[in-house]
Amino acid sequence: MKKIKKFLFLFGLGFLILSCGKKTEPFPIEESIPKGLSFEIKLNTQGAEILVYLPIKTQGGYSLNKIKKLIIEKTEVPLDIPKAKKKRKVIKISPKLHSAGNLFIYNDYNLKHRHQYTYRVKVVKDFLVETPFTEPITIFWHNPPGLPQSFQLRLFGKDAVLITWKKPKKDIYGLFLEGEVFYEIEKRSEEKPNFIKVRGKEEYFDELKPGEKVCYSIRAILNFRGTLIPGPKTPYKCVK
């Protein structure tokens, strides 16, 4: 009887030890894949600002605490060389996820005049667990337009101003522009800044509030094959 009790005790003890070391079943790979990856591209005078909205959940609805890699694929094609081969570059980054927000910004200022660029992104969570590439976004890069010339303000009484300028003929490097040029006027006053789009003319008539100081700046924007490329801003000019 004592031998049987001893055997049962040892058997139970061994079972408990083995049970404590047993790991829970991992999530299926499909449920571990990050969900909700997207991105957009904004252009400035230096190049492309790639805004990546990182996932915060998995396909199974679980919280995503970290990712191993963010991969940005960039393809470059010159527009003036027929049948040119595409150049592909893979950029690997290890961003940290923050509870305050999931936006990650990558600045690509290595863009060439008159080239086409296509981007797509994906996220690698860990080994064998990654998202597919997003749908690609394509842009066409041209040197930004130069400053609008002869930028002037002309007062009409106390409640109106006529803003005039001349179209830039060249880009910031002195080369001729290809494409439509329109303009963005930035108006600053006691209220929040106001941005005014002007197309097809080189003047804008604006109303003023009596006694209010208002400052204006203007930039040219080039429409190059459907991609809007902003030029630098003029110094502010003010009226009161």
Side-chain angles (χ1 to χ4, degrees), residues 29 34 46 53 71 74 86-87 97 134 159 162-163 174 176 181 199 215 239:
I29 289 179
Q46 295 176 289
Y53 300 94
I71 297 177
K74 172 186 175 183
K86 296 180 179 179
K87 290 184 179 180
L97 293 173
T134 60
D159 58 357
L162 178 64
I163 307 166
F176 286 100
V181 175
R199 190 184 297 267
C215 297
V239 294

Side-chain angles (χ1 to χ4, degrees), residues 8-67:
L8 291 174
F9 173 77
L10 292 174
F11 177 80
L13 182 62
F15 179 78
L16 286 173
I17 292 171
L18 291 174
S19 297
C20 290
K22 189 177 180 181
K23 296 182 179 179
T24 57
E25 290 294 325
F27 298 131
I29 289 179
E30 293 78 10
E31 293 190 10
S32 299
I33 295 173
K35 177 183 178 181
L37 174 67
S38 64
F39 80 110
E40 62 177 313
I41 298 176
K42 293 184 178 180
L43 299 181
N44 53 47
T45 56
Q46 295 176 289
E49 190 178 59
I50 302 170
L51 289 79
V52 183
Y53 300 94
L54 297 169
I56 56 174
K57 296 284 186 179
T58 69
Q59 296 283 5
Y62 304 105
S63 295
L64 186 64
N65 298 319
K66 65 177 181 177
I67 59 176

Side-chain angles (χ1 to χ4, degrees), residues 51-185:
L51 289 79
V52 183
Y53 300 94
L54 297 169
I56 56 174
K57 296 284 186 179
T58 69
Q59 296 283 5
Y62 304 105
S63 295
L64 186 64
N65 298 319
K66 65 177 181 177
I67 59 176
K68 186 176 181 181
K69 280 182 292 189
L70 166 65
I71 297 177
I72 302 175
E73 182 190 71
K74 172 186 175 183
T75 304
E76 174 186 289
V77 182
L79 297 175
D80 299 323
I81 304 176
K83 298 181 181 179
K85 291 184 178 180
K86 296 180 179 179
K87 290 184 179 180
R88 179 175 174 269
K89 181 179 180 181
V90 175
I91 304 159
K92 297 180 180 180
I93 308 165
S94 299
K96 293 182 179 180
L97 293 173
H98 298 279
S99 58
N102 64 327
L103 174 63
F104 179 83
I105 300 175
Y106 177 79
N107 293 312
D108 186 6
Y109 295 156
N110 187 23
L111 303 183
K112 299 175 185 176
H113 181 55
R114 297 185 57 78
H115 277 63
Q116 172 187 317
Y117 293 95
T118 300
Y119 298 87
R120 56 181 190 164
V121 303
K122 74 174 180 179
V123 160
V124 178
K125 180 178 179 287
D126 47 43
F127 182 65
L128 295 179
V129 182
E130 61 183 51
T131 68
F133 273 111
T134 60
E135 288 296 316
I137 296 178
T138 297
I139 63 170
F140 296 88
W141 182 254
H142 186 294
N143 293 337
L147 286 167
Q149 301 299 303
S150 303
F151 173 46
Q152 295 182 349
L153 307 180
R154 183 182 174 188
L155 282 170
F156 284 82
K158 296 182 180 180
D159 58 357
V161 60
L162 178 64
I163 307 166
T164 59
W165 62 90
K166 290 184 180 178
K167 176 183 175 180
K169 295 181 179 180
K170 297 182 180 182
D171 65 33
I172 58 174
Y173 298 111
L175 302 176
F176 286 100
L177 296 173
E178 177 190 338
E180 177 195 12
V181 175
F182 62 99
Y183 307 95
E184 181 184 73
I185 299 173

Side-chain angles (χ1 to χ4, degrees), residues 194-213:
N194 185 26
F195 295 90
I196 305 158
K197 297 288 192 298
V198 179
R199 190 184 297 267
K201 57 184 180 179
E202 280 75 45
E203 63 177 24
Y204 181 77
F205 193 80
D206 195 25
E207 295 183 356
L208 302 173
K209 295 180 180 179
E212 182 181 31
K213 182 180 178 180

